[in-house]
Amino acid sequence: MTPSTNISRENLKLNNPFHQLIREVQALDKYHKPSPLLEDLDLDMFDGEYHFTTSRATLLLMSRVIEDTLKLHKKQCSLYAGFQELSRFMEFREKFVKLADHADQIFIIGIADEPIKEIADNVHILTENADIIRENWISIISNREEIHISLIAEEIPSRKQHERYAGFYTNSRVVTEKAIGILKSNNVLSREIAFGKQTFFDL
């Protein structure tokens, strides 16, 4: 672990919906052996590998790994992808058009600042309560079987020009389900989706 991963509790935003989960995974990655943490952590979380990082390059690489895994298991997994605003999604639109051929369902989450035209029947653009996760980097694939990979990061305060993030990637089913649960409990995924018919936002 490089010195740059030493992000203090004060530097991360306590009101971020994923803050506590990120801190728990940071602790798992730091100690590896769970014995010092048994009083504080959910024992069910020890079902996978955990990697905490503040490297933007690593987060980008793992986002691509998640997308490649989606392609490898065609029509088996659902993808959850968070964007700060839908305008940021536009540069990735064509990539998601191709990913739609490989996914069971795709959920794109972002603040509705730009209209998104129809992509595919299995692609759903969700804007309700998207501001809650505006400062998060989210990429998750999951199915009902053995595939559960999540990348969750939160933006950290910085005076530098470029955005900085602290977060994790893991293949833990428990952590991945917790991350999806956080989206549901914050009513980001609570809107009823009509599967087989695209849900999209239009200004």
Side-chain angles (χ1 to χ4, degrees):
M1 186 182 304
T2 64
S4 64
T5 60
N6 293 323
I7 301 299
S8 69
R9 186 181 299 271
E10 291 74 22
N11 287 336
L12 297 176
K13 297 185 178 180
L14 296 176
N15 63 346
N16 188 288
F18 289 99
H19 175 79
Q20 183 59 36
L21 186 59
I22 290 171
R23 291 292 298 179
E24 290 176 2
V25 172
Q26 182 183 15
L28 284 166
D29 189 31
K30 179 179 180 180
Y31 288 100
H32 295 291
K33 296 179 180 179
S35 55
L37 306 169
L38 293 182
E39 294 181 1
D40 301 320
L41 295 177
D42 182 350
L43 293 180
D44 289 340
M45 290 176 66
F46 302 120
D47 71 329
E49 296 183 8
Y50 308 88
H51 302 278
F52 177 83
T53 184
T54 58
S55 166
R56 187 180 182 87
T58 299
L59 292 170
L60 284 168
L61 173 62
M62 290 311 301
S63 291
R64 289 196 292 270
V65 168
I66 286 173
E67 292 165 4
D68 288 343
T69 304
L70 184 74
K71 294 176 183 177
L72 184 63
H73 300 277
K74 189 168 184 179
K75 296 296 183 181
Q76 295 183 38
C77 301
S78 292
L79 170 66
Y80 305 81
F83 293 85
Q84 290 181 313
E85 297 93 15
L86 292 184
S87 56
R88 292 191 173 211
F89 166 74
M90 293 307 293
E91 65 177 294
F92 303 101
R93 186 182 187 280
E94 291 307 312
K95 178 173 71 172
F96 275 82
V97 169
K98 296 176 182 178
L99 287 175
D101 290 335
H102 302 277
D104 178 19
Q105 305 291 325
I106 295 179
F107 302 91
I108 297 166
I109 306 163
I111 292 174
D113 66 332
E114 187 166 318
I116 302 294
K117 295 181 179 180
E118 185 172 350
I119 297 175
D121 287 344
N122 63 335
V123 177
H124 312 280
I125 309 298
L126 306 181
T127 61
E128 187 174 357
N129 296 319
D131 58 307
I132 294 172
I133 59 166
R134 185 174 195 163
E135 296 174 340
N136 290 108
W137 184 334
I138 298 170
S139 183
I140 300 171
I141 59 169
S142 180
N143 69 5
R144 296 180 181 179
E145 304 300 330
E146 72 284 355
I147 303 167
H148 307 278
I149 306 175
S150 55
L151 180 158
I152 305 289
E154 61 179 300
E155 192 172 349
I156 56 179
S158 174
R159 295 181 180 179
K160 297 180 180 181
Q161 183 177 0
H162 299 291
E163 297 166 324
R164 297 177 63 221
Y165 289 89
F168 66 84
Y169 55 96
T170 181
N171 64 351
S172 163
R173 176 174 185 159
V174 171
V175 173
T176 298
E177 289 178 347
K178 282 189 174 186
I180 294 173
I182 288 171
L183 293 174
K184 290 180 179 178
S185 65
N186 283 277
N187 297 318
V188 177
L189 290 178
S190 64
R191 185 169 65 179
E192 187 174 344
I193 303 298
F195 292 99
K197 180 179 180 182
Q198 191 204 41
T199 302
F200 65 99
F201 175 83
D202 200 353
L203 290 174

